Each structure stands twice: as structure tokens, then as C-alpha cells.
Amino acid sequence: MAKQDFYATLGVAREASAEDLKKAYRKLAMQHHPDRNPGNKQAEAKFKELNEAYDILKDDQKRAAYDRYGHAAFEQGGAGFNAGFDFSAGGGLGDIFDQMFGDFMGGGRRGGAAGRTRAGNDVRQAVEIELTEAFAGTKANLRVPTRVVCDACSGTGSEDKARAADTCATCKGAGKVRAQQGFFLIERTCPACGGQGRVIRNPCKVCQGAGTAQRERTLQVTIPPGVEDGTRIRLSGEGEAGGQGAPPGDLYVHVAIKQHPIFQRDGSNIFMRVPLRMTQAALGFDVEVPAIDGTKAKVKIPPGTQTGDQFRLRSKGFSVLRSAVRGDMYIQVAVETPQNLTRRQRELLEEFEAEAEGHAKGSPESEGFFHKVKEFFEGGRG
Ligand SMILES: [Zn+2]
Ligand SMILES: [Zn+2]
């Protein structure tokens, strides 16, 4: 079966930025991660494809080679010019040229086996918190599926801790083997040790020599006061354990903040919509409102308040990250027109309206508007 285009695998355009690639990769990798799809072979295959695609495209040089030559740039043992070049062992394009021309140029760079052991993968975890928690800061407990160092072998991958690994007899520790292919003397990853340069003697029965084990850890993460929705907190070294003593990856915690039924946040300011009856707005009203910090605040609504009028409560807003400063809270008034009137209410309002008719002086905008309408019709007749 023909291999899918790496860009198509990640669902991005060919001109996608590094950031877009990363986003697309992370999203899909989360979705198809084997930990989330235990026993699902399709997800596992997809996950491998995603990793393969991203591994190439995240590297500018490899991406350029892929854009130019397609999959042929990376195929092992395929026919043609690019045969046998293997990126998976960690060599960049520079290594390719060394591999191609090093023998003609009398040596050149030789990649040793050292540093080949794979560092642990980064892990991404999402946490959702309340707006009030974002205000005050909180601690969240995460259950992180992760690869940890195998207890049984302390990460050596061997039953025999004193002498865990032997230098690979096939490649003599180089991690690569050479073969003549046509005109070129080419190198490829050593099939005996997978490029590690060493072979585990007496592999650990628990981890089968990997040096890591799948585990779920509970981890507490401190979320600082004033955190924004979408903030990413990096916990260095809390990702997956690396194979055979390699460094662990990092854990990225993505913070999402839930919608609050009363407060809307905009940066360090908080907005609150307060519905008022028409009469409250007309006569003035003292209202007590809750604040994000759990206290209450009194707001004096003056007589004649209109829908959309805004009242500011200083320093009652959101805390600003890494500072003692607080934003403001804004009370936004929405005047409600009464509905389903009782007979008495209707009488009172009719009386009110009759009074308003004769009370032109000092009356609001509507008087001016109806006056203009009257002029319009009269002017139209003349
Ligand atoms: Zn080897
Ligand atoms: Zn083990």
C-alpha cells in the first residue's frame, strides 16, 4: 500500500508553520495515543504514522528533503540515489552527506553510538478549573499515564545490573553497519542493536529490556492565581521516562477555565450583568453583588439609570498573574421591561404614561425622537 503523504497524515497544508504542525500533531497524537486506545491496532498504527510524519516535518532539514524527494528521501533499502539513508537513528541531513561522501573525502564526521538512547516523550495533560479557582490559584491532582523507569531493573533493561549491556558484536558499538550498494558505500542502522550500539544481555523479564514501564502516576500541579485560559504549565522532567537511562520528557499541563454563570472575565477585569426592574432603574436602587474573591460589594444605582450603564468597582476584578495588582469589576445594568402585568400594575403604568405625556420638560431622548417624527410627516405634506 502506498504510504500516505506526511502532510495529509497530520492534516495540514504543505505550507503549514512549525507551530501549526505541532498543534496538529499534538491533537492527533492525543487522540490516537495507545494509552487511550488500549488494544486498538488501528489507533496504534495511526499513532506510529503520526510520529513518523511529525518526526520528519518538525525538523527543517528533513522537511526540506521530504518536500523535495518525498518518502524516497527516507526509505531504507529502496532503490536509487537515496537508498539506505536512515534518519531514525537520530542523524540529521548533515549525517547523510557524511555517509555519502565521508569515504571519498577521507573520513569526515563519524556519529558514534553515544547519545543515541532515546529521551522520554513529552506528555500533555489537560486540566479544567473553575473561574474562582483561576482567581485564587489552586492545586490540581493529575493522573498521568506515563512511562516510568522500570523498578525491576532500575531502568537498565537487564536482569544483570552489574553488567547490563554488551557492545554490539555486529556493529562494534557504532550503531551502523556498512554495505556496498552500487557505486556508494552506504551505512544503515545496525539490525542487531537497532542503532543503540549495545545489546542488553539477559533482558529484564518485567520490561523486556526497554528499561521503562507503563504506569499511571498522580501528580499535583500548582496553578497560580490569575492564570489565563489556555495557559500551558511545563513540568520539566515529569514526562515519560527515557529508555535505558536517557533523560525523561516534560509534562505540559494545559489549563482550561470553565464558564462562570455570573462573572465574565476579560483579562484582569470582570464583568457582571445585573438585571433591574424598570422602576428600580428609574427610582434608584442599592444592590449587593457577589465579588470573585467571595466578598460582597454594594453598588448604588442612581435614579434614571439606563440599560448599558456601567458601574466600576475598583480592584474587585481578577488578580494579575505574578503580582498583587487586581483589575476592576464592572456592573453592567440591563433594565427589564415588565411583562404579564397585573390589573393594578397596568392601571398604575397607564397613569404613569398619562403623566409622562404632559411632562415634556426634562424628559428623555424618546420625546425628542417623537418630535422629529412629527416634523418629518408634517414637512412631507408641505
Ligand atoms: Zn549493532
Ligand atoms: Zn526492567
Side-chain angles (χ1 to χ4, degrees):
M1 197 179 72
K3 204 165 177 176
Q4 196 184 20
D5 178 75
F6 284 153
Y7 292 97
T9 300
L10 291 170
V12 295
R14 295 191 81 83
E15 57 277 7
S17 68
E19 191 58 31
D20 290 342
L21 280 168
K22 194 168 172 180
K23 266 192 204 149
Y25 167 71
R26 287 202 183 263
K27 184 161 161 271
L28 291 168
M30 286 288 282
Q31 197 182 326
H32 297 285
H33 199 286
D35 296 348
R36 291 200 159 180
N37 305 278
N40 181 340
K41 291 280 169 218
Q42 234 177 324
E44 194 183 316
K46 179 76 183 165
F47 186 70
K48 275 190 190 144
E49 281 172 25
L50 288 167
N51 280 308
E52 189 189 9
Y54 184 61
D55 196 50
I56 298 299
L57 298 184
K58 75 179 177 189
D59 183 305
D60 288 345
Q61 289 184 321
K62 291 182 197 175
R63 186 175 174 178
Y66 177 72
D67 287 347
R68 204 158 164 203
Y69 302 111
H71 292 300
F74 310 103
E75 268 153 18
Q76 262 183 298
F81 183 79
N82 292 299
F85 301 132
D86 175 30
F87 284 88
S88 64
L93 206 60
D95 287 299
I96 285 207
F97 291 117
D98 278 355
Q99 287 171 26
M100 281 177 59
F101 302 116
D103 294 306
F104 306 117
M105 295 168 147
R109 221 143 42 93
R110 274 280 73 86
R116 284 278 163 65
T117 44
R118 196 176 62 88
N121 287 326
D122 290 342
V123 176
R124 182 188 188 279
Q125 186 88 357
V127 61
E128 197 178 39
I129 60 171
E130 300 290 344
L131 187 68
T132 46
E133 293 176 318
F135 168 76
T138 188
K139 291 189 191 310
N141 288 316
L142 301 176
R143 293 167 70 81
V144 191
T146 187
R147 295 200 76 83
V148 296
V149 170
C150 172
D151 284 338
C153 62
S154 311
T156 60
S158 169
E159 291 281 315
D160 180 4
K161 283 173 202 165
R163 194 172 163 198
D166 287 330
T167 300
C168 174
T170 307
C171 63
K172 312 224 166 12
K176 292 171 180 173
V177 288
R178 297 175 170 205
Q180 191 77 37
Q181 185 152 6
F183 180 62
F184 292 111
L185 184 63
I186 61 146
E187 283 187 336
R188 64 176 55 178
T189 301
C190 170
C193 64
Q196 300 283 338
R198 31 187 223 132
V199 282
I200 301 287
R201 52 152 60 189
N202 197 6
C204 168
K205 288 181 181 68
V206 177
C207 65
Q208 280 82 42
T212 60
Q214 186 72 46
R215 200 75 58 74
E216 192 173 67
R217 289 181 307 151
T218 305
L219 199 80
Q220 195 175 63
V221 56
T222 301
I223 296 171
V227 70
E228 300 258 2
D229 187 48
T231 296
R232 195 175 74 161
I233 298 170
R234 177 169 165 263
L235 299 177
S236 179
E238 297 286 1
E240 289 189 355
Q244 297 166 22
D250 297 331
L251 172 66
Y252 290 95
V253 180
H254 287 246
V255 180
I257 301 174
K258 286 186 206 166
Q259 288 272 7
H260 194 276
I262 295 176
F263 303 118
Q264 277 87 51
R265 177 187 185 184
D266 183 11
S268 64
N269 292 329
I270 290 176
F271 293 84
M272 182 197 282
R273 192 178 143 96
V274 176
L276 286 184
R277 285 196 295 276
M278 182 184 78
T279 41
Q280 291 175 321
L283 301 172
F285 184 67
D286 287 350
V287 64
E288 199 174 53
V289 295
I292 187 85
D293 58 10
T295 62
K296 287 175 180 149
K298 276 207 170 72
V299 188
K300 219 173 174 52
I301 306 288
T305 292
Q306 305 291 332
T307 285
D309 281 359
Q310 209 162 252
F311 301 92
R312 179 161 75 161
L313 297 170
R314 272 182 195 280
S315 300
K316 281 286 182 190
F318 229 75
S319 43
V320 176
L321 199 63
R322 286 182 287 275
S323 96
V325 175
R326 278 180 65 182
D328 302 326
M329 175 154 85
Y330 290 90
I331 307 299
Q332 295 176 315
V333 171
V335 178
E336 292 184 331
T337 304
Q339 291 174 313
N340 305 317
L341 301 175
T342 64
R343 185 189 295 260
R344 177 73 182 133
Q345 281 176 322
R346 192 168 181 88
E347 278 171 16
L348 287 168
L349 286 179
E350 276 167 356
E351 205 174 312
F352 174 86
E353 177 58 17
E355 176 72 11
E357 272 294 307
H359 180 60
K361 197 167 50 148
S363 48
E365 208 184 336
S366 57
E367 294 294 333
F369 172 75
F370 288 115
H371 182 70
K372 276 183 199 147
V373 170
K374 204 176 159 204
E375 272 187 345
F376 175 82
F377 286 120
E378 283 167 358
R381 250 183 280 145

